[in-house]
Amino acid sequence: MKAIQALALACAILAVGGCGGKGGGKAKAAPTPSTPAPAPAPAATVSVSISTPATSGDVILGDDFRASVGGNWVGNNLGANQVYLQVSDSAGTFTTPGAQVADVSGFNYTLPLSSGVTPGNRTGTLTVRACKDAQCAQPYSNASATVGYQLQVFEPSIGVVITSPALVESVDLGDNFRTAVSGTWTTTHLGTNKVYLQVSDNAGTFATPAPQLAMVGGNTFDFPLGLVEGLPAGPRNGLLTVRACRDTMCTQPYKDAIASIGYQLQFMRIDEWETHQRNAAHDGYVPITLDPSKFAKAWEWKYVPASGQFNNINAVATSNGSVYVSTGAYFTEGRMFSLNESTGQLRWNVSFGVQPGLNPPAYHDGRIYIATTGHQDTYLWSFDAADGTFKFKSTFDGQWPAVLAPTAYDGQVYVNGGYYGGSVYAYDRMDGTRLWMGNSGGGDDMSTPAIDADNAYYHSGASLVIWNRMTGQAVANITDPFATSSGYSYHGSPMLGGRNNVIAFAGSAFSGTGFPSGEHYDQRVLSSFNIGTKAWEWATRDAYLTHPAVAKGVIYAARNRPNYLDAIDEATGRILWSWSPMPDQGDTEFHRNIIVTRNLLFVSTNVAVYAIDLATHKPVWRYPVPGMLAISANRTLYISSGATSSNGTLVAIKLK
């Protein structure tokens, strides 16, 4: 039944499909209507705008200078597209980051200077562009903005100047030698950069500190330097260099910010106290550094003469662990003693018999030299320093003088004298052969010549007289305009300075005693003479009593009424600083001689010996015995006691 129904339905459909045709032909299908194409999506766009102004101005390398680039961006029809922003520099002046995902709130770049920027004029353009990818290989069309810059870049300029002089010194082995490198530094275009100063030693002689931050405003430096330990004997030459750096390790030095000075040191045992004021220059300078906290009395020796004789002793000389002291004979027995420097015990002694006068000893290269003076009994004697063996005695002229210790130099030994005064005698120091005699007139009493490699120098009281030390030929006679007299006694010696000059008392002096240990009364100005021009240079404003000392461009001398120890500029004669003792301990006058070391000065008053610190100008040590002073190579201070005349006692103070 169902099959019949389906067949009938199919026939009906065919009949309908075939309607309108004749004869029952095939029917045509009707067309299907088309769907319209969708409209294209709008393109994604990005616009970029920079709101910060162009960058311009001066820039100092090392400053934290940064360019600022800020602004906004706007995107349209972005859909799923991403926006990256990239900043670039057309001239490579600034360091730029990689492209970054854009922040909807805008952008603000701070760009530091590139490490390769050099001084000069720098112009360029900073560009911000929007891209579709992190490598900015697909920039959005017309999605960029620019801003320019114009900079003048400066490099910091540091100047370093060392004002300390080159160092040429003989240094005692084991000495706590110290020096300082001082100077100034200047800067332009420093900005916020820091300056560190470093001192270095290319030979490793000095221990140098770490670089130090330089104090802006002061613009000076002072590096105190001490020696490294264990340096051997011999020469040490090198350069001390100060450089300015940006960092604490000095790995980034400023360009051309460097200065150097040389040094030449000779490490050796220092010379002994050989003669008047130590050496042939009579400068009273002992090149050692001392610690006053270590000073201590070692021993005391007293000359005990025979009944009825004088007990005074003269200024001493030292050598190789011995100290030599002579007695002040006056038509009495004269003796010379060699004492053990460590204990004060007698090593040997020599009697000269009865003498009109016996004077202070001198030491040089294994020999002792000493003069007996009178009339016919005026001789220069020599002895072996080790055991007192007699070597020679040679005559020279005199009329009852007293003289200071002879002066030895190289192969000669010199003494002053003269029957009518004003003479200098030169002898072969080994056999006593007289080499020459020079006469100038003037005083012959209480003096000794100064000697250098070329000349012998003698002040007659009226003028400085110069002879060739080898031949005795006259070189110059320079009038001293401040000399008030040229009498019998001079009481002093020329002192060789550090400027090719000679410093000496102007005029004569008088002691009223026949002993060389007796101090003179007269205060006199000091005159300076230029050896190169053979001319008088200057005189001090004040008159002085003590035998002066000189070191490193400064003369030290003491005066009374009023009582002042003065430091005097060697170039001008002007006072640099002064010290006066407090009167509460009885110090009312200065007396005798002055000794200067690298850091201390020794001076005697009427009641005590003082050590004055050269840096602070204050006393750091006092010993309650006045007298004539000497310092040995073994660092023993000797006081031949007595402010104006000897009492026969020798005190030894260990200085180490």
Side-chain angles (χ1 to χ4, degrees):
M1 186 67 186
K2 287 182 178 181
I4 296 172
Q5 291 174 342
L7 181 62
L9 177 60
C11 289
I13 292 171
L14 289 173
V16 172
C19 290
K22 291 181 178 181
K26 187 176 178 180
K28 187 179 180 177
T32 303
S34 62
T35 302
T45 62
V46 177
S47 63
V48 178
S49 63
I50 294 175
S51 58
T52 52
T55 300
S56 64
D58 294 341
V59 177
I60 298 173
L61 292 178
D63 278 0
D64 188 22
F65 179 84
R66 294 172 182 264
S68 180
V69 182
N72 294 285
W73 66 278
V74 176
N76 293 303
N77 303 316
L78 292 177
N81 290 293
Q82 186 65 273
V83 176
Y84 294 86
L85 292 180
Q86 179 196 60
V87 61
S88 61
D89 178 2
S90 65
T93 302
F94 295 95
T95 299
T96 56
Q100 300 173 358
V101 175
D103 191 311
V104 294
S105 63
F107 58 86
N108 187 17
Y109 295 100
T110 56
L111 306 178
L113 287 176
S114 172
S115 60
V117 171
T118 57
N121 188 28
R122 304 284 298 193
T123 58
T125 301
L126 297 173
T127 300
V128 178
R129 61 173 43 86
C131 304
K132 296 175 182 178
D133 62 311
Q135 289 73 40
C136 225
Q138 305 175 56
Y140 286 100
S141 177
N142 299 319
S144 66
T146 62
V147 63
Y149 64 82
Q150 184 170 357
L151 304 176
Q152 187 65 40
V153 181
F154 296 96
E155 183 175 16
S157 177
I158 311 294
V160 178
V161 177
I162 295 176
T163 56
S164 302
L167 189 61
V168 180
E169 292 278 0
S170 294
V171 180
D172 190 28
L173 286 172
D175 187 37
N176 184 27
F177 176 81
R178 301 188 67 82
T179 190
V181 180
S182 304
T184 60
W185 65 277
T186 55
T187 180
T188 54
H189 304 302
L190 182 62
T192 60
N193 290 281
K194 294 185 183 298
V195 176
Y196 293 87
L197 294 177
Q198 178 195 56
V199 60
S200 60
D201 175 6
N202 70 339
T205 303
F206 293 94
T208 55
Q212 300 176 5
L213 180 64
M215 302 305 294
V216 176
N219 287 18
T220 62
F221 58 85
D222 183 73
F223 290 101
L225 303 176
L227 297 172
V228 300
E229 295 182 358
L231 293 173
R236 299 281 297 192
N237 301 329
L239 284 176
L240 295 172
T241 299
V242 177
R243 58 171 48 86
C245 305
R246 289 182 169 88
D247 62 309
T248 57
M249 300 302 292
C250 223
T251 58
Q252 304 174 54
Y254 287 102
K255 181 181 179 182
D256 299 327
I258 188 170
S260 299
I261 57 167
Y263 64 81
Q264 298 177 31
L265 303 180
Q266 183 69 38
F267 288 87
M268 55 185 291
R269 179 180 168 86
I270 64 167
D271 292 334
E272 294 285 352
W273 190 276
E274 294 194 351
T275 184
H276 174 70
Q277 286 298 83
R278 185 174 181 263
N279 51 26
H282 307 309
D283 58 21
Y285 175 53
V286 184
I288 55 177
T289 304
L290 298 172
D291 180 355
S293 68
K294 298 180 179 180
F295 296 179
K297 181 179 178 180
W299 49 263
E300 183 176 307
W301 178 84
K302 178 77 172 179
Y303 171 55
V304 181
S307 177
Q309 297 196 30
F310 299 100
N311 72 337
N312 53 347
I313 59 173
N314 296 315
V316 302
T318 67
S319 81
N320 300 325
S322 295
V323 56
Y324 307 95
V325 56
S326 61
T327 63
Y330 187 72
F331 296 97
T332 55
E333 183 188 21
R335 282 187 173 271
M336 179 171 61
F337 301 89
S338 172
L339 306 178
N340 184 298
E341 188 169 24
S342 298
T343 64
Q345 297 298 307
L346 180 67
R347 282 189 162 153
W348 54 260
N349 76 97
V350 170
S351 174
F352 295 87
V354 175
Q355 292 288 340
L358 181 61
N359 300 278
Y363 167 82
H364 187 73
D365 197 18
R367 290 286 191 92
I368 298 294
Y369 302 95
I370 190 169
T372 56
T373 50
H375 205 265
Q376 288 83 12
D377 299 315
T378 302
Y379 294 99
L380 174 67
W381 301 67
S382 179
F383 299 88
D384 187 285
D387 57 15
T389 301
F390 170 77
K391 293 299 182 180
F392 70 77
K393 74 173 183 178
S394 300
T395 62
F396 64 98
D397 298 325
Q399 289 195 66
W400 317 110
V403 296
L404 298 179
T407 301
Y409 189 98
D410 199 12
Q412 293 79 42
V413 59
Y414 304 83
V415 66
N416 72 291
Y419 193 77
Y420 295 105
S423 296
V424 168
Y425 297 81
Y427 299 89
D428 183 289
R429 75 171 194 87
M430 297 306 293
D431 62 17
T433 301
R434 184 188 292 187
L435 302 175
W436 56 263
M437 184 270 286
N439 184 269
S440 66
D444 67 330
D445 201 40
M446 289 303 293
S447 185
T448 190
I451 311 294
D452 65 16
D454 298 316
N455 299 318
Y457 304 89
Y458 172 75
H459 200 292
S460 68
S463 62
L464 180 72
V465 185
I466 307 174
W467 293 280
N468 180 287
R469 77 169 183 91
M470 297 298 293
T471 67
Q473 181 178 355
V475 174
N477 191 319
I478 309 170
T479 299
D480 189 334
F482 280 80
T484 57
S485 63
S486 178
Y488 180 71
S489 299
Y490 182 67
H491 283 275
S493 68
M495 179 174 69
L496 304 186
R499 303 172 42 255
N500 195 29
N501 62 318
V502 173
I503 302 107
F505 283 123
S508 300
F510 180 69
S511 68
T513 175
F515 296 113
S517 60
E519 187 178 63
H520 55 285
Y521 302 119
D522 309 78
Q523 298 196 135
R524 295 162 289 173
V525 300
L526 291 167
S527 285
S528 178
F529 302 86
N530 186 294
I531 303 309
T533 62
K534 298 178 176 57
W536 175 88
E537 293 185 304
W538 53 255
T540 54
R541 180 194 66 186
D542 297 294
Y544 295 90
L545 181 75
T546 64
H547 294 299
V550 62
K552 302 183 183 303
V554 181
I555 301 166
Y556 302 93
R559 54 192 165 98
N560 297 322
R561 302 180 301 276
N563 309 323
Y564 284 105
L565 165 71
D566 291 334
I568 304 163
D569 186 343
E570 186 184 349
T572 65
R574 296 178 180 175
I575 295 174
L576 302 174
W577 56 267
S578 300
W579 174 77
S580 184
M582 299 298 291
D584 57 346
Q585 293 182 293
D587 301 284
T588 59
E589 292 180 331
F590 288 106
H591 292 284
R592 299 301 191 177
N593 63 311
I594 288 175
I595 299 176
V596 62
T597 71
R598 296 191 195 279
N599 64 319
L600 300 179
L601 175 149
F602 293 86
V603 63
S604 176
T605 69
N606 56 306
V607 294
V609 172
Y610 284 85
I612 309 299
D613 189 297
L614 295 179
T616 66
H617 311 159
K618 296 183 182 300
V620 292
W621 179 80
R622 182 181 188 272
Y623 190 79
V625 173
M628 297 177 284
L629 307 177
I631 294 178
S632 72
N634 284 334
R635 304 193 185 202
T636 299
L637 170 68
Y638 292 101
I639 307 172
S640 300
S641 64
T644 60
S645 60
S646 171
N647 63 17
T649 300
L650 181 64
V651 178
I653 308 291
K654 294 298 291 181
L655 303 179
K656 64 177 180 178

